[in-house]
Amino acid sequence: CERCADTCQTCRQDDATPAQLAIIDAHGETSASSVTYKTDNCTTCRPEFPFRWETAASCHRQCPDGSYQSSNATCTTCPEPCRHCSDNATCTLCTARSSKPYLTATGLCTEACAPGTTAIDNKCIRCATPCATCALGQVHSCLSCDNAAGAWLRYGPSCYESCPANTIADVAAGECLGCQLGCQLCDEQDNSRCLRCSAGLALLEGACLDVCPPEYKKSEDGSVCELRSYPLDKTFVAFPILGTAM
């Protein structure tokens, strides 16, 4: 005869069945093929270990992970794909290697988090307002805006009531489009066409230039390229006459 496990009042010492191994393996995240399991096979439990897990036939101070208290002193295995659960219908953690590894706010396991939520530590977390949708694992990085407090236009990861400087609104897409580099104000219909350049750059035909083409010169305030008007142009420098008559 072999002694019962310390947690058992009475027991039956047998090898674990294939079904028991599969469930213990699933909730323990360990390969059953690499470990030889033996259940406690408690038939009754000692008073200090009152909870009996039916699947493993083992006794515990409280129901172990992977099970829930289904009656006064009985622990029942969580339904797949729950790894932990509070009852037969509510998961608190999903099995990571299952086909439904993500936990929703309602206690269900799912293949992917729904729009408006993002996966963080295998849980579907709601995007932070004003984000309607957000980047993977980043509740404050908006992909679209929810129009909370009028913030409905997205630029980068943020939402705005009106587009910030150096951008124009794409109303249909609910986005702000950035002007070209060096452009301070661009055409509302075409963000590639500049209307006003940043300091130090001159505007010519919708583009911002460091240096104007040879046939142009910068205006007095340096904001635009103006067509030269030879020979009256004050910036015109005549070529010196080579040689002088004796």
Side-chain angles (χ1 to χ4, degrees), residues 11-99:
C11 66
R12 182 182 68 254
Q13 195 70 34
D14 296 316
D15 288 334
T17 67
Q20 289 173 324
L21 285 177
I23 293 174
I24 294 170
D25 176 41
H27 293 89
E29 298 291 327
T30 306
S31 173
S33 62
S34 64
V35 179
T36 301
Y37 285 96
K38 200 159 190 168
T39 58
D40 294 339
N41 276 309
C42 300
T43 52
T44 58
C45 299
R46 293 178 58 181
E48 59 269 42
F49 301 95
F51 295 99
R52 183 175 181 273
W53 187 14
E54 293 177 318
T55 300
S58 55
C59 296
H60 306 268
R61 294 187 188 278
Q62 60 185 22
C63 288
D65 290 343
S67 69
Y68 65 95
Q69 186 177 342
S70 56
S71 64
N72 288 340
T74 300
C75 301
T76 299
T77 298
C78 294
E80 289 293 337
C82 298
R83 184 177 179 189
H84 299 166
C85 63
S86 57
D87 55 47
N88 189 51
T90 309
C91 298
T92 55
L93 183 66
C94 302
T95 303
R97 60 186 180 184
S98 73
S99 62

Side-chain angles (χ1 to χ4, degrees), residues 57-190:
S58 55
C59 296
H60 306 268
R61 294 187 188 278
Q62 60 185 22
C63 288
D65 290 343
S67 69
Y68 65 95
Q69 186 177 342
S70 56
S71 64
N72 288 340
T74 300
C75 301
T76 299
T77 298
C78 294
E80 289 293 337
C82 298
R83 184 177 179 189
H84 299 166
C85 63
S86 57
D87 55 47
N88 189 51
T90 309
C91 298
T92 55
L93 183 66
C94 302
T95 303
R97 60 186 180 184
S98 73
S99 62
K100 297 181 177 181
Y102 302 108
L103 180 69
T104 69
T106 56
L108 300 176
C109 294
T110 183
E111 295 177 358
C113 293
T117 65
T118 187
I120 299 177
D121 296 330
N122 280 52
K123 295 182 179 180
C124 295
I125 307 299
R126 181 159 294 282
C127 299
T129 192
C131 299
T133 57
C134 53
L136 179 63
Q138 302 178 62
V139 295
H140 295 284
S141 182
C142 302
L143 297 178
S144 62
C145 304
D146 63 7
N147 200 22
W152 65 284
L153 292 164
R154 183 184 69 85
Y155 183 61
S158 304
C159 295
Y160 299 85
E161 292 183 47
S162 59
C163 288
N166 305 338
T167 67
I168 60 171
D170 182 340
V171 175
E175 296 180 340
C176 299
L177 304 178
C179 299
Q180 299 300 307
L181 185 65
C183 182
Q184 198 172 69
L185 176 67
C186 50
D187 192 311
E188 291 186 0
Q189 305 302 318
D190 181 4

